[in-house]
Amino acid sequence: MRKTIGKLFLILMLLVIYAPILILAVYSFTDSGNIGSIHGFSMQNYVTLFTKGELRDMIVGTVLLALVSSLLATIFGTMGAIGAFYSKKLAKNFINTANQIPVVNADVVTGFSICVLLIVAFGMNKESYVPLLIGHVVLSAPFVYLSVVPKLKQMDASLYEAAMDLGASPSMALRKVVIPQIMPGIVSGALIAFTMSIDDFIISYFVTGGGVKNLSITVYTMSKRVNPSINAISTLVV
């Protein structure tokens, strides 16, 4: 009896989670502009998505932004994790604590503070991708740090010194010994950073102007009016 109830709860939970996504996917294959009316099967939403210049440029720009920001966030996060790992206890504890602040901080506070720093203090142009790129790097780098640190703790800390004793230079010991040992953490951190860049809306909203739109900003703008292409975009993201 308890197993049956447990299975029913599991089915109900999955239904609640995936039913909206399935409905969205169904409506992406119809040209109906209103929820509740289906006029028949159509691929027009997907055709529009890849033939309309504005939407196509948005998709390409979003992917390129995610690739560049995740690359920079991976480099900075990995460097910070390695530096903290080989630092003294006081410096290590300080870096670990400082890295937690943007992780637990509300995104709206982070986004507004980045906006004030870059746009107001430094006078950067919101019509360019530079503030958006910096914002996504700031958002993602702490999570890369958190992905790399556990792999460093699993590694034998004396391997670096052993490589140095055997004649390797510091850079060679880092590239040939340390990096291969922590590569799974680096890869997972890079994937997290890429996903966060694709998904982010709040920071993007604060640091972009009218001439810059990524996926989240475009979906938000399209949701204010009837636009069936939003169903196709959302389905592809899923």
Side-chain angles (χ1 to χ4, degrees):
M1 183 65 180
R2 285 182 296 180
K3 291 183 178 180
T4 304
I5 295 176
K7 290 180 180 180
L8 290 176
F9 273 111
L10 177 60
I11 294 173
L12 180 62
M13 181 186 69
L14 293 176
L15 182 63
V16 170
I17 293 175
Y18 288 103
I21 299 175
L22 293 176
I23 294 174
L24 180 69
V26 169
Y27 276 95
S28 70
F29 292 101
T30 177
D31 57 0
S32 173
N34 298 316
I35 299 296
S37 61
I38 298 179
H39 300 155
F41 178 82
S42 174
M43 294 291 294
Q44 184 58 42
N45 292 333
Y46 293 92
V47 173
T48 303
L49 188 61
F50 291 102
T51 56
K52 190 174 181 180
E54 181 182 357
L55 294 178
R56 186 176 62 248
D57 293 342
M58 177 274 299
I59 294 174
V60 173
T62 300
V63 174
L64 290 177
L65 174 68
L67 289 173
V68 176
S69 65
S70 60
L71 175 62
L72 294 176
T74 301
I75 293 174
F76 293 145
T78 303
M79 292 172 58
I82 295 175
F85 181 73
Y86 287 104
S87 298
K88 294 182 179 180
K89 184 176 181 180
L90 182 60
K92 180 187 298 186
N93 292 337
F94 174 79
I95 296 174
N96 288 334
T97 303
N99 185 78
Q100 296 295 331
I101 296 176
V103 174
V104 302
N105 196 20
D107 286 349
V108 65
V109 177
T110 302
F112 182 69
S113 60
I114 294 175
C115 176
V116 171
L117 176 66
L118 299 182
I119 309 302
V120 178
F122 291 163
M124 289 188 178
N125 185 9
K126 293 181 69 174
E127 303 296 325
S128 71
Y129 275 92
V130 176
L132 184 59
L133 175 63
I134 296 175
H136 282 196
V137 172
V138 172
L139 173 69
S140 305
F143 292 91
V144 177
Y145 179 98
L146 293 176
S147 298
V148 175
V149 166
K151 292 299 178 182
L152 286 168
K153 292 181 178 179
Q154 295 174 7
M155 183 187 70
D156 188 352
S158 62
L159 288 177
Y160 181 79
E161 286 79 6
M164 297 279 288
D165 293 338
L166 293 174
S169 63
S171 60
M172 181 180 294
L174 181 64
R175 289 184 290 107
K176 298 293 186 179
V177 178
V178 178
I179 297 297
Q181 293 288 325
I182 62 175
M183 185 56 67
I186 296 176
V187 173
S188 63
L191 293 176
I192 293 174
F194 181 84
T195 305
M196 293 185 67
S197 177
I198 293 288
D199 179 67
D200 174 69
F201 168 74
I202 296 179
I203 291 179
S204 301
Y205 181 80
F206 277 104
V207 299
T208 56
V212 178
K213 288 185 179 180
N214 61 352
L215 178 62
S216 59
I217 297 296
T218 301
V219 171
Y220 173 74
T221 303
M222 294 172 65
S223 65
K224 295 181 179 180
R225 60 185 186 275
V226 177
N227 194 328
S229 297
I230 190 176
N231 299 330
I233 294 176
S234 303
T235 302
L236 287 178
V237 171
V238 175

